[in-house]
Amino acid sequence: MFNTKYDVIVVGAGHAGCEAAAAAANLGSKTLLVTMNLQNVAQMSCNPAMGGIAKGQIVREIDALGGYSGIVSDRSAIQYKMLNQSKGPAMWSPRVQSDRSLFTLEWRNLLEQTPLVDFYQEMIVDILVEHNRAVGVVTSLGLKIYAQAVVLTNGTFLNGLIHIGEKNFGGGRAGEKAATGLTAKLESLGFESGRMKTGTPPRVDGRSLDYSQMTEQPGDENPSKFSFSDQTQPLTRQRSCFITHTNEEVHNTLREGFDRSPMFNGAIQSTGPRYCPSIEDKINRFKDKSQHQIFVEPEGWNTVEVYVNGFSTSLPDDIQYKALKAVKGFEQVKFFRPGYAIEYDYFPPTQLYHSLETRLIENLFFAGQINGTTGYEEAAAQGIMAGINAHQKVKNNTPFILGREQAYIGVLIDDLILKGTEEPYRMFTSRAEYRTLLRQDNADERLTPLSYDLGLASSERMKKVEDKRKKRTTLVSYLNKTSYPLDVANQLLALKKELPVKQTDKYAKLLARPNLNRADFDVFHSLQQFMKSEEMDDTVFEQAEIEVKYAGYIEKEKRNADKLKRLENIKIPRNFDFERLASLSFEAKEKLNKFKPETLAQASRISGINPSDISVLLVSMGR
């Protein structure tokens, strides 16, 4: 089986590994996906959901590039919600509640239908390196498997250590052993490593809960979907989630276990995710809060298992149980399993190029939590980019790099490479300077043409994008050139308690009003007839509305992005000697030598690099 050399070997079959293997194989690379347990492909180790604030944008971007996370999310969804709709469209973020088992099954089915993907189940304990280049891997049985490139996506498995109260034991997640040997090998090659932690809440029996004491959270009345393709359809039925709250009794009970908490007794010294703290961390840090929200989330269509979102904990199991019983609706709760914390090895991502290839070892790529990120979406985004770039490298093609003005994926990777992270990195809309450009609704228009040029996105996908763009442009033109009937407009404005207009004007002028939206324009029959004749649906109108309403903001961000792009086009040679530039500050030389930026734009985003340093570099590059 292993007599021939693979193009790409992907180690680990979590969200990053699955996207990496699919991308490399669909581009034409013979790919081997190696994992410790093939029954847990793309396992949702923590919450059974995809998307959310900024994360939903990432899933849409992965889908636009030709990845599978959006398709799998749609096929396994049990609820769909568009979050942040009370805010501007730059903040709208899709999220699905998923059927955990179906999610894994759908991912495996898609991978098994990918002809150039082979599978193998075993632990990888060593990387084969020749002349500073990765050439394969070694399994725990001593098998040597050769390839032109290796992608490591080890998640939380590298020397994973699970904590429940004062008990701890090795493991990559509940019920699975840790991966050993690989960290030591990478350190021997010169890589710097660190430790991080994350946690997960108890899983409980939904039959033991009293939902009548909770607040129901149904999905959207008219659900959409993640994927831009025609391979999925919106949900026709949904399951509800529920909300309840902790209280002072719960908090006091939890405090009883603080002396046995690995977080407080020194057993855990690594850094956890700031924006997803454990319940004990919440009540310790926010002592003035008398309650915290608990989201009660079903694990699937046909299971009674429930995920207790907001109650992540590593306290002793008896304290967890006693405290949870004091939550309204949980008085008779039965555990499926307690919550736990897990510590694992990661490698600071400043050791990578923007292609996610390591600086120390050629043809070796890192993706996912090994780079210090948290979340399925961030991992999947790195996975597809690492898979693409591993293929590009073995085929001697140019690396595929996304800029900050092109995608949230570009922001994510740029932040990791140039800033590093000392805590699990999570994406937020606030991290993106150009979020009005990087909306969830236009991810296909931004990224599918780039992916199509690579050979990853299909011609059907490209045609769909072109049709969408053409229809939107046609509708915007119509709105800018066509006048509305005055009497109908004033009837609408009176209904909305807006001041009447004295003379007719173009539809775009009316649509630009903040209190008017798509549904209000149903009263204009000529507009509806035009849309019908052009086969335009609500999605087209939504994008046209955004373009009309936010034209000024969009144009401003485009100008700022163009300025950034000019610096991105000025390349810094890979072995450039910064020491010879006497005018550079000592700190600038130190930072530039450490991070080795590939463009002037990247250099400008490194902490400690001043505008004067960029000016020196501009002069040395001949402007």
Side-chain angles (χ1 to χ4, degrees):
M1 178 177 174
F2 300 126
N3 286 337
T4 55
K5 180 186 285 189
Y6 283 92
D7 292 317
V8 177
I9 292 175
V10 178
V11 180
H15 300 261
C18 288
E19 287 289 5
N26 285 325
L27 283 167
S29 285
K30 182 68 175 171
T31 303
L32 177 67
L33 180 59
V34 189
T35 184
M36 291 164 63
N37 189 345
L38 281 168
Q39 305 310 309
N40 292 332
V41 167
Q43 176 71 269
M44 295 180 126
S45 305
C46 200
N47 63 320
M50 286 291 281
I53 308 302
K55 293 167 175 280
Q57 282 87 328
I58 288 176
V59 177
R60 282 266 166 95
E61 291 179 351
I62 293 168
D63 181 77
L65 288 170
Y68 289 156
S69 288
I71 293 171
V72 172
S73 296
D74 286 343
R75 290 180 178 175
S76 60
I78 63 175
Q79 186 194 88
Y80 179 95
K81 285 181 83 75
M82 183 66 78
L83 306 180
N84 271 349
Q85 289 198 79
S86 62
K87 301 179 180 179
M91 307 295 284
W92 298 351
S93 303
R95 181 185 189 271
V96 297
Q97 198 68 32
S98 302
D99 183 309
R100 186 188 298 276
S101 299
L102 190 55
F103 188 92
T104 296
L105 181 63
E106 289 290 348
W107 247 117
R108 179 154 172 173
N109 285 341
L110 281 171
L111 287 170
E112 289 183 356
Q113 292 164 24
T114 306
L116 290 179
V117 174
D118 285 349
F119 302 86
Y120 191 63
Q121 178 174 297
E122 206 184 326
M123 185 192 297
I124 298 302
V125 296
D126 202 353
I127 304 293
L128 295 171
V129 176
E130 295 177 2
H131 309 297
N132 244 34
R133 179 190 296 243
V135 296
V137 297
V138 181
T139 74
S140 56
L141 290 176
L143 289 172
K144 293 182 178 180
I145 313 173
Y146 290 90
Q148 295 188 65
V150 175
V151 182
L152 296 185
T153 69
N154 301 81
T156 60
F157 282 75
L158 291 178
N159 292 326
L161 184 64
I162 291 173
H163 296 267
I164 304 175
E166 295 171 301
K167 305 162 191 171
N168 60 67
F169 48 91
R173 59 177 162 236
E176 296 184 66
K177 62 183 180 180
T180 56
L182 207 49
T183 295
K185 170 62 178 183
L186 292 169
E187 288 175 340
S188 73
L189 292 170
F191 287 97
E192 175 192 346
S193 70
R195 293 284 276 177
M196 281 188 177
K197 92 161 185 75
T198 188
T200 193
R203 311 301 200 270
V204 303
D205 188 335
R207 296 170 299 181
S208 66
L209 304 182
D210 182 359
Y211 292 102
S212 67
Q213 298 191 64
M214 307 179 198
T215 304
E216 186 175 5
Q217 294 285 300
D220 287 350
E221 188 175 339
N222 297 303
S224 184
K225 62 193 188 83
F226 263 121
S227 182
F228 293 102
S229 75
D230 295 324
Q231 296 182 49
T232 64
Q233 298 300 321
L235 289 168
T236 54
R237 65 188 180 102
Q238 302 185 70
R239 284 199 68 176
S240 290
C241 297
F242 294 83
I243 288 180
T244 184
H245 296 84
T246 62
N247 52 55
E248 288 293 356
E249 182 184 353
V250 175
H251 297 180
N252 290 333
T253 302
L254 291 168
R255 290 186 184 101
E256 291 176 17
F258 276 14
D259 61 328
R260 292 187 285 153
S261 165
M263 273 191 59
F264 300 132
N265 65 15
I268 293 178
Q269 295 185 341
S270 49
T271 309
R274 177 193 302 263
Y275 302 104
C276 189
S278 65
I279 188 65
E280 56 264 39
D281 197 21
K282 285 184 204 173
I283 64 173
N284 186 53
R285 284 166 53 190
F286 307 109
K287 296 181 174 66
D288 57 319
K289 301 288 185 184
S290 59
Q291 63 176 29
H292 294 283
Q293 276 189 330
I294 300 293
F295 296 89
V296 183
E297 302 178 345
E299 294 258 347
W301 288 114
N302 304 306
T303 179
V304 297
E305 188 171 356
V306 167
Y307 179 88
V308 190
N309 197 342
F311 206 87
S312 174
T313 181
S314 58
L315 285 166
D317 49 309
D318 59 316
I319 294 292
Q320 293 185 35
Y321 181 63
K322 184 179 176 183
L324 205 52
K325 281 176 72 70
V327 173
K328 187 179 287 188
F330 280 73
E331 292 83 0
Q332 306 301 320
V333 68
K334 293 180 181 178
F335 270 26
F336 271 25
R337 74 164 193 243
Y340 62 87
I342 180 167
E343 289 186 286
Y344 54 94
D345 294 336
Y346 85 104
F347 292 82
T350 51
Q351 300 170 101
L352 306 174
Y353 294 114
H354 276 71
S355 63
L356 298 182
E357 182 183 19
T358 67
R359 297 177 186 274
L360 284 173
I361 303 297
E362 194 176 354
N363 291 20
L364 178 64
F365 296 77
F366 290 174
Q369 283 178 281
I370 192 173
N371 289 335
T373 59
T374 182
Y376 311 142
E377 302 83 1
E378 290 90 343
Q382 294 170 72
I384 192 171
M385 295 301 286
I388 289 171
N389 282 313
H391 166 84
Q392 293 291 94
K393 188 67 189 282
V394 302
K395 302 300 181 184
N396 296 315
N397 296 328
T398 305
F400 181 65
I401 311 294
L402 291 173
R404 298 181 74 90
E405 80 288 356
Q406 291 177 298
Y408 272 91
I409 295 174
V411 175
L412 165 69
I413 293 174
D414 193 63
D415 278 354
L416 291 173
I417 307 308
L418 297 182
K419 299 176 183 176
T421 184
E422 295 179 355
E423 61 185 48
Y425 178 101
R426 180 178 179 178
M427 180 53 72
F428 291 102
T429 51
S430 58
R431 294 191 191 273
E433 306 94 314
Y434 310 109
R435 54 185 175 272
T436 307
L437 301 180
L438 309 183
R439 305 185 310 274
Q440 51 81 31
D441 63 278
N442 69 356
D444 54 342
E445 291 193 40
R446 289 186 279 117
L447 299 179
T448 298
L450 302 177
S451 184
Y452 177 71
D453 289 343
L454 273 178
L456 184 55
S458 66
S459 55
E460 290 80 13
R461 283 289 191 102
M462 192 60 215
K463 183 179 184 305
K464 194 172 172 66
V465 169
E466 288 170 346
D467 288 346
K468 176 182 172 183
R469 183 184 290 146
K470 181 180 177 182
K471 286 180 178 178
R472 189 196 70 251
T473 303
T474 301
L475 182 54
V476 170
S477 177
Y478 177 88
L479 293 170
N480 279 317
K481 292 178 179 178
T482 310
S483 299
Y484 52 79
L486 186 61
D487 56 338
V488 179
N490 278 328
Q491 288 172 19
L492 171 61
L493 292 171
L495 193 66
K496 303 291 286 189
K497 296 181 179 178
E498 294 254 326
L499 290 173
V501 289
K502 294 180 180 179
Q503 59 186 41
T504 188
D505 206 337
K506 303 297 185 280
Y507 276 114
K509 216 58 175 299
L510 197 62
L511 185 59
R513 294 192 176 210
N515 293 336
L516 299 183
N517 56 40
R518 165 72 185 98
D520 298 323
F521 281 70
D522 285 343
V523 298
F524 297 107
H525 299 301
S526 58
L527 172 59
Q528 301 309 310
Q529 287 174 342
F530 173 79
M531 289 182 62
K532 188 175 181 180
S533 67
E534 296 289 335
E535 298 181 339
M536 297 174 179
D537 57 17
D538 283 353
T539 306
V540 177
F541 193 97
E542 179 186 278
Q543 284 214 298
E545 181 182 359
I546 291 169
E547 190 167 321
V548 168
K549 268 188 165 71
Y550 298 92
Y553 297 103
I554 291 170
E555 189 55 41
K556 182 180 178 182
E557 284 201 0
K558 280 181 178 175
R559 287 197 300 270
N560 289 338
D562 287 341
K563 290 177 185 176
L564 174 75
K565 201 174 290 184
R566 287 198 289 273
L567 286 181
E568 289 287 6
N569 290 332
I570 303 176
K571 305 291 183 185
I572 300 175
R574 184 163 283 192
N575 296 315
F576 187 81
D577 182 11
F578 296 104
E579 295 294 335
R580 69 179 176 81
L581 299 180
S583 300
L584 278 181
S585 68
F586 179 80
E587 182 181 7
K589 290 177 183 177
E590 184 181 29
K591 294 286 180 67
L592 291 166
N593 281 319
K594 178 182 177 182
F595 292 104
K596 292 184 169 55
E598 297 168 62
T599 68
L600 279 189
Q602 291 176 15
S604 70
R605 294 192 291 273
I606 297 172
S607 174
I609 304 297
N610 298 315
S612 59
D613 297 318
I614 298 300
S615 296
V616 171
L617 290 172
L618 269 169
V619 171
S620 70
M621 302 290 165
R623 290 200 178 273

